[in-house]
């Protein structure tokens, strides 16, 4: 799981919660069900079964893979619409190409992130490049959906290309944890992602037996999802493993610990840590649209059918599928 790493984490800035921080308790641990997305690539629905009041402003998150494709097997998604939220695609292993009807796009690979603000409406496609389809290979990533407040739902679309080398790298006091700040802020250190809704997104790698207690904004919620390995969360050391999400309660710090022994194919504990300022507005979600009322969902479908959410570019390099194939 390469993403972005360093040989010696002790060369990085160190971050830890202050001694008087209030530890966040673990309210629940859930296990993600498996399924398929797009043209048939495997996913784990990371937040399935978690009440939205604990997720807000996050809507859903899929762990894509980890899968080692044979030649001819890699899959993506056809052209499809979005309105009312932001999609964050983080690639840990492998390559994905993105293109949208607003002119955004590019190739993302180990440690890169594409941050697409759908706003009032956009069409996009995500697919492995042709050479990867031919050769096969390892693929692993995440897609996170972040809600937009009502005042921003119909804003103009925007695309951010966040290269892996631009993420803020931090470590724990003993160097046992590598912390990649993709968006938001941790201990005064800011990540490169620009967000409309205040959030923090971190990919943490903990060596066997390592523990980290991080400062966490009290007005944010707190979530942890295990990408690989085994460990525990909270001061109470609630066990977690691959495919499980932990929901934290109120407080000003959160704790994650890696088990002393990991599986043979997983040398470290890999965790995504998420926090955000709840929007606390009505949310209705159906398919590719996230709005505040059912009537707005109906309008989104009508606008899509009328071609108001954009058009597929006449020339593109990934697929010949158009919106009629969605």
């Amino acid at each position: 799981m390469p993403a972005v790493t360093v040989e010696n984490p002790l060369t990085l800035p160190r971050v830890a919660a202050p001694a008087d921080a209030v530890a966040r308790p673990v309210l629940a641990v859930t296990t993600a069900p498996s399924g398929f997305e797009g043209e048939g690539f495997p996913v784990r629905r990371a937040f399935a079964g978690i009440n939205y009041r604990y997720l807000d402003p996050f809507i859903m998150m899929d762990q894509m893979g980890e899968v080692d494709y044979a030649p001819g097997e890699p899959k993506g998604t056809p052209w499809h619409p979005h309105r009312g939220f932001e999609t964050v695609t983080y690639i840990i292993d492998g390559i994905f190409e993105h293109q949208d009807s607003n002119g955004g796009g590019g190739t993302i690979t180990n440690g890169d992130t594409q941050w697409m603000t759908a706003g009032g409406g956009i069409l996009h496609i995500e697919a492995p490049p042709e050479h990867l389809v031919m050769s096969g290979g390892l693929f692993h990533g995440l897609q996170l959906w972040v809600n937009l407040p009502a005042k921003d739902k119909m804003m103009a679309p925007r695309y951010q290309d966040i290269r892996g080398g631009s993420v803020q790298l931090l470590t724990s006091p003993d160097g046992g944890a590598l912390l990649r700040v993709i968006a938001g802020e941790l201990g005064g250190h800011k990540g490169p992602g620009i967000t409309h809704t205040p959030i923090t997104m971190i990919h943490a790698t903990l060596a066997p037996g390592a523990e980290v207690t991080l400062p966490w904004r009290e007005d944010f919620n707190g979530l942890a999802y295990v990408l690989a390995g085994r460990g525990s969360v909270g001061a109470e050391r609630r066990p977690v493993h691959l495919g499980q999400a932990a929901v934290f309660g109120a407080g000003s710090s959160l704790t994650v610990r890696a088990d002393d022994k990991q599986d043979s194919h997983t040398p470290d504990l890999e965790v995504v840590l998420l926090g955000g300022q709840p929007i606390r507005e009505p949310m209705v979600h159906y398919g590719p649209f996230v709005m505040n009322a059912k009537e707005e969902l109906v309008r989104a479908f009508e606008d899509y059918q009328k071609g108001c959410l954009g058009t597929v570019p006449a020339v593109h390099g990934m697929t010949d599928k158009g919106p009629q194939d969605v």
Side-chain angles (χ1 to χ4, degrees), residues 27-314:
L27 302 182
V29 172
T30 63
T31 300
S34 297
F36 293 91
E37 188 54 80
E39 295 172 330
F41 58 85
V43 298
R44 287 186 174 91
R45 305 290 190 191
F47 297 150
I50 300 176
N51 190 297
Y52 180 65
R53 67 191 178 107
Y54 297 116
L55 294 179
D56 186 13
F58 308 109
I59 301 162
M60 56 153 278
M61 185 169 74
D62 282 346
Q63 180 181 10
M64 304 180 294
E66 179 179 16
V67 57
D68 194 0
Y69 284 120
E73 286 187 344
K75 299 175 177 68
T77 65
W79 284 96
H80 59 283
H82 287 305
R83 173 180 279 182
F85 64 103
E86 300 183 287
T87 64
V88 182
T89 305
Y90 174 54
I91 298 300
I92 300 166
D93 288 290
I95 306 172
F96 234 27
E97 289 183 343
H98 163 91
Q99 188 178 9
D100 65 49
S101 56
N102 197 46
T107 300
I108 52 175
T109 185
N110 302 341
D112 296 338
T113 303
Q114 66 172 27
W115 201 295
M116 188 184 77
T117 304
I122 199 168
L123 304 178
H124 82 139
I125 184 174
E126 296 163 302
E130 186 62 28
H131 70 83
L132 183 62
V133 175
M134 297 297 292
S135 66
L138 192 63
F139 180 76
H140 191 196
L142 289 175
Q143 185 166 100
L144 172 71
W145 289 15
V146 185
N147 202 6
L148 287 169
K151 65 181 180 63
D152 293 327
K153 287 225 178 263
M154 298 300 289
M155 67 176 293
R158 181 180 67 180
Y159 179 79
Q160 297 178 66
D161 183 16
I162 303 173
R163 297 288 99 184
S166 68
V167 302
Q168 175 67 63
L169 298 180
L170 307 170
T171 190
S172 52
D174 64 359
L178 175 60
L179 308 167
R180 306 168 187 86
V181 184
I182 298 167
E185 177 268 341
L186 182 66
H189 303 275
K190 293 183 178 180
I194 300 170
T195 69
H196 289 280
T197 303
I199 73 165
T200 295
M201 180 179 181
I202 297 165
H203 174 192
T205 300
L206 282 74
E211 180 176 292
V212 62
T213 299
L214 301 175
W216 211 252
R217 280 181 51 167
E218 292 187 67
D219 60 335
F220 277 20
N221 60 359
L223 300 159
Y225 177 75
V226 181
L227 293 167
R230 296 178 176 275
S232 59
V233 287
E236 61 269 47
R237 292 194 174 184
R238 185 87 170 263
V240 290
H241 57 74
L242 166 65
Q244 290 192 315
V247 180
F248 291 89
S252 56
S253 72
L254 56 80
T255 298
V256 179
R257 186 183 187 280
D259 283 356
D260 294 335
K261 293 183 179 180
Q262 298 293 329
D263 299 333
S264 60
H265 64 282
T266 305
D268 303 306
L269 174 67
E270 305 282 351
V271 183
V272 172
L273 303 174
L274 293 169
Q277 192 173 67
I279 297 174
R280 295 193 175 94
E281 293 177 349
M283 188 276 288
V284 289
H285 166 211
Y286 190 84
F289 305 126
V290 180
M291 304 304 292
N292 296 104
K294 182 178 178 181
E295 294 77 13
E296 294 171 338
L297 283 182
V298 173
R299 175 65 182 275
F301 276 100
E302 291 175 346
D303 286 349
Y304 168 56
Q305 291 166 352
K306 294 174 183 176
C308 299
L309 271 64
T311 58
V312 175

